[in-house]
Amino acid sequence: MSDAVQTATSALRRSFHYRDLEAAGARFQPVADAAVAWVYGDDAGNEQTRARTLGIADLSPLPRTGFKGRDIGPWLAKQSVTVGEASNRAYPCGKGSLAAKLAPTEVLLLGALDGSDPLPGALNDAWTDDAGLCFPVPRRDASFWFTITGKMASSMFAKICGVDLREKSFDNHAIAQTSVARSNTIIIRDDLGAVPAFHMLGDSASAGYMWMCLNDAMDEFDGGPVGLEAILALRK
Amino acid sequence: MSGGANRLPERAGEWVDRARSVSFTFDGKSCQGLEGDTIASALAANDRWILSRSFKYRRPRGILTMAGQDANTLVQLPDEPNVLADTRAISDGLVVEGQNFDGSLENDRGAYMGLFSKFLPVGFYYKTFFRPRGAWKFWEPIVRARAGLGKINEKAHHGYYDKAYGWYDVAVIGGGPAGMAAAASAAKAGAEVLLVEENPHLGGSLAYARFDADGMESSKQLEALKADLGGVEIMTGAICNGWFEDNWLPVIKGNRLYKIRAKHVVLATGSIEQPMVFHNNDLPGIMQASAAQRLIRQYGVRPGKRAVVATANADGYAAALDLRQAGCEVAAILDLRAEPTNGAIVNAVRDHGIPVHAGSTAYEAVAAKGNRHITAVTSAKITGRGECGSGRDRFDCDLLCMATGYTPTHHLLSHAGGEVGYDGASEMFCVRSVPDGITVAGSLNGSYDLGATIAEGHYAGWSAAKAIGLKAGRQPRVPNDRGSLNRSHPWPIFPHPKGKDFIDYDEDLQVRDIQNAIREGYEHIELVKRYSTVGMGPSQGRHSALTSVRLTADETGQDIEVVGRTTSRPPFTAETFGVLAGRAFEPVRHTAMHHRHLELGAQMMPAGLWLRPAYYGTQDQKTACVEAEALNVRNNVGLIDVSTLGGLEVRGPDAAEFLNRMYTFAYLKQPVGRSRYLLLTDETGVIADDGVACRFGKNHFYVTATTGGVDNVYRSMLWRNAQWRLDVDVTNVTAAYAGVNIAGPKSRDVLAKLCTDVDLSPEAFPYMEIRTGTVAGIPARLMRVGFVGELGYEIHIPSGQGEALWDALMDAGRDDAIRPFGVEAQRMLRLEKGHIIISQDTDGLTIPHEADMAWAIGRKKPYFVGGRSIDIQVARGIERKLVGFEIADPAVPVPEECHLTVRGEEIVGRVTSAVRSPSLGKTVGLAYVAPDQSEPGTEFDIKIDGGRIIKGQVVKLPFFDADNARQEL
């Protein structure tokens, strides 16, 4: 991470709704090839406390990719990426990445939260036309990526999503492909340390709308935006 | 702090906070209550008893149930009509008004209506206002003004409402003794339990009723049951308003609707005390015995100074003890039974010297002036069913409590398909059957003895846990005698020659109204209901159903069981539209360049869920802005955001075959590196969408679709692919790609500054070809297209970098006078080229031949969706044709979309697009005309606003750059 002062637009790749983040007081840091909302205030401790209760981080600029097609299994295996049999489950892979199996013929790969794992880019680079019926899906641009953390996360989700996301019903690395606030969404539970956490991916063009809906739903629990720094701290 | 003249000394378990006073106004006068008071209890504490006026006769009405079960307490708040005063809590500054009166609540000028009750028989409205024809139009506003409920404030602030889901093993509805016991037992067995109670505190009857002579049992049991609720999620102040399939329960708490799903439901919804029927039984000061007890025990309010209790069970005697303990003299107990039962409570009443008159009833209530309150009760000896002897005794009093029976609160059970019948032994409705997944307990199920009720609750919780597969332990025992006998009198109905013996307070219906309805031939209980409107008011028959069934049975000579009941449907109580609507989720989609458009002064327009720039500039300069943007494209270079266009990746060995079947054109031989027009028709041959197929590889097409059509196209592709089972996969990548179209004679020059890895020369990159490369360092798909009829490139790039590309192109084009153009200018430019827009220039019946699109049909292929339908329709002959037309005379108005094209009186088509073209200096457009009018040079009539006819002349398309030299530059 660079200490240089960054803006949301200092990289070509920027959050889909960076103005909302700026309005919330975000300060940005370069991560991988993008500018990411790193902190929202001066008190990192407060932000970490919020992340443990109910926080939302915009990780949209971070690397991720996806692959789809009948031959996805053999091709990923050839790239040394092992994904389990069950669909709607996420499988850790690479150096901090997470492979979410959405269907027998589709995998979404979330890069490491600190942007350090080269796997998403490596897979994109490795793909060629001769991969059979297996082709990349531009997940980094098709979908926003929010991470919602904290013990109140499932209570907040109960206001806008019909799937039971409570810890006892939706175990770690379970996936729900559902509707949130009338918009198609993928929800992946991926706890950070002992803190419940959910990656949420949806229509990138609706990022601003969904950010507004989620923040509104979080108000009741004093939840709100947190930066990537607070998210990374939860892993410790 | 007294909190009112009738406020009693503080007692344990009451619901009000003596330390906090609350000020509010009612009917324009200020009033003091306590925190926790309802509007009605606070008014009662201040000796104010009239809460409303009745629907038809405008009679004063007061507290009846103190349980939110009747329409007597409906009041008006500034932003909310029809609020139940006996359940709505007061708050500082609350402004409460009465409703449905002329003048004031105390002195209603409309009260004279009661004098005419004999002239307003049942069915009066059906018989009176429909003759002569059209009379109802005259009477309706008069009737509606005279009879009604509260008024909606149309300027009320929009409240914040939302919804939440909840998932439980067991949901227990009703927080009385049975419900609490059920919840505790289910939770102990390991179930995740939700306990829903409509009141702000748990307890049910334990919170107001007296179960023993010294009055301590209820509080003792309440504390014990509450202490046993560990692990139970408790929701108080919440009402379950219905039961839906698979145990889906709508639970309303405040402004939130909880959508609860439970594996098993325990209904412990209790019972509703029923009123007696006698003359003037609706006066303020006449209430259920349970209402008086609620006032005393929950709110610390004395309900009267001198009372008479009319009863047919031990509960009336218990109420008499409560009244006496609250400092209210009990003048008499009128026991409808010839031989009252004995027991500790009855004995205690006798010990206190309260006079008991067995075999007597309240015959008529004596009213104060204006029927404002009860002043005395006249009793009579009962000589037969509903009959009284001639002797009368008079008891001065300001309170009459009625305790003559109950009916189970069966509504949720009925919603679920449970059956309710009539039990002749207990003289009450009773549960006959319960559907799977539901258990009933408490007085809903006929349990009135407290010990039996609690035992049955434990049994219900045990049953629920067992039903969902938990090890619930030993089966709890339930006593055989559950105390249902001697609770309800079989006929507490005493018609009076002067009437005003109300059976339905909501609708001011009297005994004779039901009798007359039946005598007029409406014998079935459902017809009685609809003709008389009994049970159709706000309280939905909670207090009238039993009496009307009894009267119907009596009049028709049927058994009550045979008469049955009317159907119960959700909702159980009134619910607001706000609660049903919840939070308004209205998704909106922004392109990557959305904020750049706003910064440039764009006027945005919706396109499906997207927002697109219509034009850049102020609204009053719209025409000038659009023309300037269009001319700049023709003369220099323009930039338009086309990110909203649909994008679909079609991949696989059968990709070309797939497109060949989906679309009208031929794609098998389409070369890699080229694009080809797409036209989609549905099974009926109607044009459904269009776009471009870009072949980036042998097995890879990038397909565009219209902004509004892409989701349907994608869905259709998946559906077709599932049937055809081709070796192909489809992905919707619309949001993944931002897109711009840079168009105009200088577009190549501008693009060349940012794109150095693609040879942009016309020879290397001709019209309709596609390339991949980088633009401003951003990976891009480039397409030579010509929708606006100029040299142009569509550039599709990852949406996360869309804004950066826009900035780079605007910078690069500055010296070439680049300016953005919006959808309005684009539509003008494409119209000059004669390009159609699907769904603007086509409709739900347009086949390709009508739109002059037959050229886009591949004739050599065996099949495409809609092909056969098109062949059939063409063979029959088409009845209209889309043509280009022009109007040269600048003085003639520009026709608007959907202006009709006519031939004499016959409508032959409509205008679909028209614009005054700045490039051509005349009006051009597209319109449907009769086939014999479609030859260039033909004139046809257009009927514009005001019926004026103008002439259009058919011309050959395109209007502009006929040899396409500019776009193929």
Side-chain angles (χ1 to χ4, degrees):
Chain A
M1 256 60 81
S2 162
D3 288 336
V5 176
Q6 297 288 319
T7 67
T9 56
S10 56
L12 282 180
R13 185 167 285 283
R14 52 196 71 160
S15 170
F16 304 109
H17 64 119
Y18 66 84
R19 289 169 179 83
D20 295 329
L21 311 182
E22 289 174 333
R27 286 185 283 134
F28 294 82
Q29 281 278 4
V31 180
D33 58 348
V36 180
W38 186 252
V39 290
Y40 283 84
D42 296 326
D43 190 340
N46 257 351
E47 210 159 303
Q48 285 177 29
T49 303
R50 171 177 268 187
R52 291 178 194 284
T53 307
L54 184 58
I56 178 170
D58 176 32
L59 308 187
S60 297
L62 290 181
R64 59 192 174 281
T65 188
F67 290 89
K68 193 178 178 194
R70 175 190 4 101
D71 299 325
I72 186 171
W75 186 79
L76 282 176
K78 203 170 157 188
Q79 312 308 317
S80 303
V81 175
T82 306
V83 179
E85 282 296 309
S87 294
N88 284 321
R89 297 290 307 175
Y91 302 92
C93 61
K95 296 172 181 169
S97 292
L98 193 65
K101 190 166 183 178
L102 305 179
T105 56
E106 185 164 12
V107 168
L108 156 68
L109 188 93
L110 298 177
L113 297 181
D114 60 4
S116 63
D117 188 10
L119 184 59
L123 289 178
N124 285 338
D125 292 344
W127 182 84
T128 57
D129 272 338
D130 60 3
L133 190 50
C134 167
F135 55 91
V137 178
R139 286 284 179 187
R140 199 176 182 187
D141 294 284
S143 308
F144 64 75
W145 177 6
F146 299 156
T147 297
I148 292 100
T149 64
K151 61 186 178 187
M152 301 308 297
S154 62
S155 299
M156 184 279 295
F157 272 122
K159 293 167 63 178
I160 52 176
C161 175
V163 176
D164 183 357
L165 298 178
R166 292 174 302 167
E167 288 178 50
K168 59 174 275 190
S169 315
F170 193 71
D171 64 352
N172 201 26
H173 292 153
I175 295 174
Q177 299 179 65
T178 182
S179 173
V180 174
R182 292 183 60 207
S183 195
N184 291 343
T185 306
I186 300 166
I187 298 173
I188 306 163
R189 182 170 164 198
D190 181 30
D191 289 354
L192 299 173
V195 178
F198 301 86
H199 302 301
M200 183 173 168
L201 293 100
D203 171 31
S204 60
S206 304
Y209 161 76
M210 189 58 75
W211 180 261
M212 181 266 295
C213 288
L214 289 165
N215 275 277
D216 178 80
M218 288 174 146
D219 270 354
E220 178 181 348
F221 309 102
D222 293 326
V226 295
L228 180 56
E229 183 182 41
I231 295 292
L232 295 177
L234 293 180
R235 300 188 305 181
K236 294 169 186 167
Chain B
M1 192 163 299
S2 70
N6 288 329
R7 192 71 70 177
L8 295 167
E10 186 171 355
R11 63 181 296 159
E14 66 184 16
W15 292 359
V16 289
D17 182 351
R18 302 275 173 164
R20 302 185 67 183
S21 66
V22 176
S23 298
F24 68 106
T25 64
F26 179 68
D27 211 24
K29 297 174 187 165
S30 64
C31 198
Q32 288 266 323
L34 298 175
E35 181 88 15
D37 259 327
T38 65
I39 296 167
S41 70
L43 291 171
N46 287 278
D47 220 22
R48 296 176 68 178
W49 297 98
I50 300 177
L51 297 172
S52 68
R53 289 273 169 173
S54 70
F55 179 73
K56 195 159 66 176
Y57 301 141
R58 301 285 189 83
R59 291 170 64 88
R61 292 279 164 79
I63 289 169
L64 178 66
T65 67
M66 277 306 291
Q69 293 166 346
D70 61 285
N72 280 15
T73 70
L74 293 180
V75 294
Q76 176 87 41
L77 301 187
D79 290 347
E80 193 178 355
N82 307 325
V83 171
L84 290 164
D86 56 349
T87 56
R88 179 64 63 89
I90 57 170
S91 56
D92 266 324
L94 186 69
V95 176
V96 188
E97 300 285 346
Q99 52 188 37
N100 196 33
F101 56 79
D102 290 331
S104 72
L105 194 56
E106 293 281 337
N107 295 292
D108 178 11
R109 288 193 291 271
Y112 68 87
M113 287 298 292
L115 301 174
F116 296 98
S117 63
K118 279 195 174 176
F119 306 104
L120 301 171
V122 66
F124 174 72
Y125 300 106
Y126 302 129
K127 298 168 182 168
T128 309
F129 298 111
F130 68 99
R131 285 190 184 123
R133 187 184 173 90
W136 178 241
K137 287 287 179 195
F138 170 78
W139 287 109
E140 183 183 9
I142 298 170
V143 172
R144 292 205 186 285
R146 296 221 53 81
L149 297 171
K151 290 185 171 56
I152 292 171
N153 178 4
E154 294 176 4
K155 294 177 180 170
H157 178 67
H158 189 76
Y160 186 97
Y161 294 84
D162 71 358
K163 299 180 184 177
Y165 294 89
W167 304 267
Y168 299 90
D169 293 329
V170 177
V172 180
I173 311 302
M180 286 192 286
S185 284
K188 277 181 187 159
E192 189 175 13
V193 180
L194 172 70
L195 175 59
V196 178
E197 166 55 37
E198 64 178 312
N199 286 298
H201 302 273
L202 290 175
S205 58
L206 294 175
Y208 62 85
R210 188 183 190 110
F211 290 94
D212 58 342
D214 64 7
M216 300 304 293
E217 183 67 11
S218 50
S219 57
K220 195 175 88 183
Q221 290 290 353
L222 177 56
E223 291 311 311
L225 286 166
K226 281 163 77 173
D228 214 20
L229 290 174
V232 174
E233 185 174 332
I234 298 166
M235 203 182 278
T236 54
I239 190 147
C240 179
N241 228 15
W243 180 98
F244 295 92
E245 205 62 44
D246 298 327
N247 284 342
W248 190 97
L249 307 171
V251 177
I252 300 167
K253 182 176 170 66
N255 282 0
R256 176 171 291 171
L257 172 65
Y258 288 90
K259 299 189 270 190
I260 304 296
R261 188 76 76 175
K263 294 175 187 166
H264 198 93
V265 172
V266 175
L267 295 177
T269 47
S271 54
I272 300 169
E273 192 164 34
Q274 296 294 293
M276 291 175 65
V277 179
F278 55 94
H279 181 61
N280 277 346
N281 61 341
D282 64 330
L283 295 177
I286 300 177
M287 64 184 73
Q288 311 285 29
S290 54
Q293 290 177 292
R294 287 176 200 265
L295 281 172
I296 294 168
R297 289 174 172 257
Q298 294 172 348
Y299 302 102
V301 172
R302 187 181 59 188
K305 298 179 184 68
R306 193 165 196 268
V308 170
V309 177
T311 186
N313 54 40
D315 300 335
Y317 287 78
L321 292 178
D322 277 344
L323 289 166
R324 184 182 175 282
Q325 194 173 342
C328 176
E329 180 190 352
V330 181
I333 290 180
L334 306 175
D335 196 323
L336 277 64
R337 300 168 296 181
E339 295 176 13
T341 53
N342 288 316
I345 291 176
V346 175
N347 293 337
V349 166
R350 291 195 169 115
D351 291 347
H352 285 300
I354 297 173
V356 175
H357 301 266
S360 295
T361 183
Y363 180 70
E364 57 187 22
V366 181
K369 185 184 175 190
N371 293 323
R372 291 194 180 90
H373 208 82
I374 181 173
T375 59
V377 173
T378 300
S379 73
K381 279 285 180 187
I382 300 171
T383 57
R385 197 178 69 163
E387 295 172 356
C388 294
S390 56
R392 302 283 182 268
D393 288 319
R394 178 187 166 108
F395 301 94
D396 290 338
C397 63
D398 63 350
L399 172 66
L400 172 60
C401 293
M402 303 176 287
T404 55
Y406 300 89
T407 198
T409 316
H410 59 81
H411 305 73
L412 299 183
L413 177 66
S414 296
H415 301 170
E419 291 175 331
V420 174
Y422 191 82
D423 176 37
S426 64
E427 300 290 357
M428 281 190 282
F429 284 127
C430 63
V431 174
R432 289 265 186 252
S433 71
V434 180
D436 289 343
I438 295 176
T439 305
V440 294
S443 57
L444 165 64
N445 199 33
S447 289
Y448 285 84
D449 175 81
L450 181 57
T453 298
I454 293 171
E456 192 182 53
H458 284 302
Y459 174 78
W462 174 87
S463 299
K466 195 161 174 282
I468 61 173
L470 296 173
K471 289 181 180 170
R474 204 171 61 183
Q475 178 176 339
R477 300 183 66 178
V478 181
N480 288 332
D481 179 7
R482 294 180 293 157
S484 65
L485 300 181
N486 267 310
R487 294 281 168 184
S488 281
H489 192 272
W491 196 266
I493 306 165
F494 300 93
H496 194 281
K498 293 181 181 174
K500 302 296 189 292
D501 40 14
F502 293 100
I503 68 158
D504 187 324
Y505 294 7
D506 296 9
E507 306 278 336
D508 277 342
L509 290 169
Q510 307 164 67
V511 171
R512 64 173 176 238
D513 291 324
I514 301 303
Q515 292 170 333
N516 288 337
I518 295 163
R519 288 166 192 167
E520 289 187 36
Y522 299 96
E523 294 185 347
H524 193 282
I525 189 65
E526 293 283 4
L527 297 178
V528 171
K529 173 182 173 180
R530 279 153 186 79
Y531 187 64
S532 69
T533 69
V534 65
M536 293 173 70
S539 55
Q540 290 286 287
R542 285 172 176 77
H543 304 105
S544 60
L546 179 57
T547 306
S548 57
V549 167
R550 281 171 168 162
L551 286 170
T552 303
D554 187 53
E555 284 292 319
T556 59
Q558 298 178 89
D559 191 81
I560 292 178
E561 180 84 20
V562 175
V563 171
R565 298 166 32 261
T566 56
T567 306
S568 282
R569 301 179 181 86
F572 174 57
T573 60
E575 53 198 12
T576 66
F577 287 121
V579 163
L580 295 178
R583 211 191 133 200
F585 290 116
E586 295 171 4
V588 59
R589 307 181 79 183
H590 289 164
T591 73
M593 294 78 98
H594 175 80
H595 290 277
R596 289 290 184 257
H597 304 318
L598 299 181
E599 289 157 10
L600 288 162
Q603 302 293 331
M604 306 301 286
M605 59 180 278
L609 296 179
W610 294 95
L611 289 175
R612 299 193 70 186
Y615 56 93
Y616 297 82
T618 57
Q619 290 181 3
D620 59 340
Q621 296 289 310
K622 176 183 174 183
T623 303
C625 291
V626 173
E627 289 185 357
E629 289 169 18
L631 283 173
N632 197 59
V633 173
R634 292 274 181 251
N635 298 327
N636 297 304
V637 57
L639 188 66
I640 183 170
D641 181 357
V642 295
S643 305
T644 64
L645 280 181
L648 302 163
E649 299 273 27
V650 180
R651 296 193 187 244
D654 291 334
E657 173 63 23
F658 182 73
L659 294 186
N660 223 38
R661 296 187 191 185
M662 282 294 300
Y663 291 95
T664 60
F665 232 160
Y667 301 95
L668 291 179
K669 295 178 180 174
Q670 179 179 341
V672 172
R674 278 195 67 82
S675 63
R676 183 165 291 178
Y677 181 71
L678 293 162
L679 186 68
L680 182 72
T681 52
D682 64 15
E683 293 88 341
T684 64
V686 168
I687 294 173
D689 204 73
D690 73 347
V692 174
C694 306
R695 193 166 198 172
F696 282 103
K698 180 171 176 287
N699 299 335
H700 176 205
F701 287 85
Y702 177 54
V703 170
T704 67
T706 60
T707 298
V710 61
D711 288 339
N712 281 336
V713 173
Y714 178 53
R715 194 159 38 236
S716 174
M717 283 184 169
L718 296 180
W719 190 70
R720 299 281 177 198
N721 194 27
Q723 293 183 72
W724 296 337
R725 295 179 178 275
L726 294 173
D727 199 5
V728 67
D729 210 326
V730 186
T731 309
N732 187 344
V733 293
T734 300
Y737 289 96
V740 295
N741 181 10
I742 183 166
K746 297 178 181 175
S747 59
R748 182 180 287 128
D749 299 338
V750 176
L751 183 58
K753 295 176 187 174
L754 301 172
C755 178
T756 56
D757 54 359
V758 175
D759 184 349
L760 299 176
S761 67
E763 300 77 21
F765 191 0
Y767 183 61
M768 292 302 282
E769 296 241 329
I770 56 175
R771 299 288 183 270
T772 56
T774 58
V775 180
I778 300 167
R781 290 172 172 176
L782 295 100
M783 306 157 206
R784 283 276 320 257
V785 293
F787 190 53
V788 297
E790 295 291 340
L791 171 66
Y793 303 84
E794 266 191 29
I795 308 168
H796 292 213
I797 44 96
S799 58
Q801 299 169 71
E803 190 178 78
L805 176 77
W806 178 273
D807 293 344
L809 286 168
M810 289 295 284
D811 279 347
R814 188 161 290 122
D815 293 343
D816 293 298
I818 194 170
R819 65 182 289 177
F821 64 106
V823 175
E824 295 282 1
Q826 184 194 41
R827 287 180 178 174
M828 176 187 286
L829 294 164
R830 68 88 200 179
L831 184 53
E832 290 172 349
K833 286 298 293 178
H835 293 152
I836 69 165
I837 295 177
I838 305 299
S839 79
Q840 175 167 327
D841 300 305
T842 67
D843 54 38
L845 296 171
T846 309
I847 64 169
H849 294 70
E850 290 175 332
D852 209 16
M853 301 288 286
W855 59 267
I857 295 176
R859 279 288 154 211
K860 292 181 181 173
K861 60 183 186 180
Y863 171 82
F864 64 90
V865 176
R868 180 162 166 72
S869 298
I870 292 170
D871 289 343
I872 292 170
Q873 292 181 76
V874 170
R876 285 179 182 164
I878 60 172
E879 295 180 351
R880 60 179 182 164
K881 188 129 191 183
L882 187 69
V883 296
F885 71 90
E886 65 178 28
I887 301 169
D889 184 353
V892 173
V894 179
E896 295 175 10
E897 293 155 16
C898 284
H899 276 161
L900 300 177
T901 57
V902 297
R903 180 152 55 185
E905 295 299 311
E906 181 192 5
I907 298 170
V908 295
R910 65 183 174 90
V911 174
T912 62
S913 300
V915 69
R916 176 118 43 213
S917 166
S919 302
L920 300 165
K922 57 188 173 187
T923 295
V924 296
L926 298 172
Y928 284 102
V929 297
D932 63 355
Q933 295 175 309
S934 62
E935 282 301 310
T938 307
E939 283 200 333
F940 62 94
D941 292 340
I942 303 170
K943 195 172 189 176
I944 64 170
D945 289 347
R948 181 181 167 191
I949 300 292
I950 61 173
K951 295 284 185 189
Q953 184 177 51
V954 177
V955 296
K956 193 172 184 306
L957 293 173
F959 303 104
F960 179 81
D961 186 28
D963 58 1
N964 294 328
R966 295 174 71 93
Q967 67 189 30
E968 294 175 15
L969 194 66

